[in-house]
Amino acid sequence: MQANPTHRPSGFHVLELAIQAIELLRPTVAHIRRCDRDLGEQLRRALSSVALNIAEGDRSQGGHRIARFSTAAGSNGESRAALRVAVAWGYVHTHEIEAGEALLNRVAAMLHRLGALR
């Protein structure tokens, strides 16, 4: 596995933001995992779910498209909550997650505009 894999933009902006959030938060997730394996793994899975469901929704139609975007929105909310929980437990400081949270907030807004249900 390459240290810096070649990134191939999909052209779907919300997916690109979700991938950027993963790249940005990767060291933070690793640190959280060292402090609390379960929370770190749940955060890793939730962040992956955001990107993967966005990609699936981009290739879906009708109700399936909305369902995938809604699942992505749910995982996005879970990711944001997990980051806040990590701060509450003292595993990381607020300033360490701010940039990632900002990207996830943008993803949330874009998913809402794409029709994701709450």
Side-chain angles (χ1 to χ4, degrees), residues 15-83:
L15 176 57
E16 292 310 309
L17 289 178
I19 299 286
Q20 286 176 24
I22 291 169
E23 292 170 343
L24 181 67
L25 289 166
R26 185 176 53 213
T28 303
V29 172
H31 178 77
I32 292 168
R33 191 175 184 280
R34 285 191 296 276
C35 296
D36 183 332
R37 182 179 177 164
D38 291 338
L39 182 60
E41 281 299 303
Q42 188 164 352
L43 176 55
R44 184 191 58 76
R45 285 190 308 273
L47 287 166
S48 294
S49 176
V50 174
L52 295 173
N53 278 288
I54 289 169
E56 188 173 347
D58 185 36
R59 299 294 181 203
S60 299
Q61 296 179 3
H64 294 291
R65 180 177 176 89
I66 299 300
R68 294 298 72 75
F69 290 154
S70 295
T71 300
S75 294
N76 191 59
E78 181 182 3
S79 298
R80 291 158 55 202
L83 290 168

